Amino acid sequence: MTEEELDLRTLSDEELVEQMHDDLYDGLAEEIDEGTRILLERGWSASAVLNDALVGGMRIVGIDFRDGILFVPEVLLAANAMKAGMAVLRPILAETGAESVGKVVIGTVKGDIHDIGKNLVAMMMEGAGFEVIDLGINTDVEEFLEALDLHRPDILGMSALLTTTMPYMKVVVDTLVERGLRDSHIVMVGGAPLNEEFGRAVGADAYCRDAAVAAETAKDLVARRRILMSEHV
């Protein structure tokens, strides 16, 4: 292909969005940055660019990751490209007060320093339109509680890769129950050694086997929660 054929400015809006989906899939951060700016110049709102171009593209990445067509390295590249677009959009979205799909506080639990899976979930959540506060690794119950108090998220996500750290998830959930905070947040858990049964045992709302499923489940749970809350108003 010649550079002329790759000139994003020559594409119609519809073609540009399609091209951005392809560029996200291929992890091309510079092209995503440029495409995002072009759509904004053409009068698109930041929310429309986010939803149609970026979230739409990451949805395809998520489906192919879930189905085993894409693997972790490709998803990390796609997520990195998504970040390039988000860097352009985030200040505008903050300024316009655009509502995100929801807010997520996520961390790897105390005693565990594994974060690739957790990072993937955070990236896929952001790719699905969530605002994500990542607490990192080795997160104790007080750090989780402080973040919940400060950020008031819809979702608390916890990750563990070691069988020895998995039980700490129950410590966090039990503390939420003790403090009367459990019903204020959706609790999601994940990590290689976990399963649905363990998720139920610790009192989580959902266990997710991978990052793509986590993003889909999060959107579904937040949407259902908002419907329930509106019915009780």
Side-chain angles (χ1 to χ4, degrees):
M1 269 197 180
T2 65
E3 278 194 25
E4 201 174 17
E5 285 177 300
L6 284 169
D7 185 357
L8 298 180
R9 292 184 181 280
T10 63
L11 302 176
S12 69
D13 287 10
E14 195 177 324
E15 290 168 335
L16 180 53
V17 168
E18 289 281 323
Q19 184 61 45
M20 287 175 73
H21 289 177
D22 290 346
D23 290 343
L24 261 178
Y25 198 90
D26 295 334
L28 304 176
E30 281 182 30
E31 285 80 350
I32 291 300
D33 177 290
E34 187 187 354
T36 299
R37 292 176 192 277
I38 291 169
L39 288 175
L40 290 171
E41 284 168 20
R42 291 181 183 179
W44 280 50
S45 70
S47 294
V49 179
L50 172 65
N51 292 320
D52 295 357
L54 301 185
V55 173
M58 284 301 283
R59 191 175 295 122
I60 300 163
V61 171
I63 289 165
D64 280 5
F65 178 53
R66 182 194 66 202
D67 294 344
I69 297 162
L70 287 178
F71 299 96
V72 170
E74 291 102 329
V75 176
L76 288 172
L77 277 173
N80 192 51
M82 166 89 186
K83 279 188 170 177
M86 284 304 297
V88 177
L89 295 179
R90 197 174 279 115
I92 306 166
L93 290 166
E95 216 172 86
T96 54
E99 193 180 339
S100 66
V101 173
K103 199 184 280 190
V104 182
V105 160
I106 190 168
T108 302
V109 296
K110 185 181 178 183
D112 207 317
I113 58 166
H114 296 90
D115 67 353
I116 291 177
K118 185 260 305 162
N119 291 349
L120 263 180
V121 171
M123 288 170 176
M124 291 300 289
M125 292 272 204
E126 194 161 54
F130 284 93
E131 181 186 344
V132 179
I133 297 96
D134 188 346
L135 303 181
I137 56 173
N138 196 25
T139 312
D140 68 23
V141 66
E142 288 306 323
E143 287 174 280
F144 278 121
L145 288 171
E146 278 172 28
L148 295 182
D149 186 47
L150 181 63
H151 300 288
R152 311 274 168 169
D154 302 279
I155 295 172
L156 167 62
M158 291 185 283
S159 169
L161 196 70
L162 303 173
T163 53
T164 50
T165 60
M166 284 164 55
Y168 197 78
M169 291 176 171
K170 186 158 175 26
V171 173
V172 176
V173 175
D174 286 351
T175 306
L176 289 177
V177 172
E178 282 165 25
R179 309 232 181 146
L181 300 170
R182 177 63 189 87
D183 293 340
S184 303
H185 308 283
I186 295 161
V187 176
M188 295 176 63
V189 296
L194 280 66
N195 56 31
E196 295 242 4
E197 193 182 348
F198 178 80
R200 282 195 295 273
V202 299
D205 294 295
Y207 149 77
C208 299
R209 63 181 170 83
D210 64 41
V213 171
E216 288 171 21
T217 304
K219 284 182 89 164
D220 185 45
L221 288 172
V222 168
R224 272 194 272 166
R225 186 167 181 254
R226 286 183 179 169
I227 290 166
L228 280 170
M229 285 169 76
S230 66
E231 285 172 355
H232 288 112
V233 170

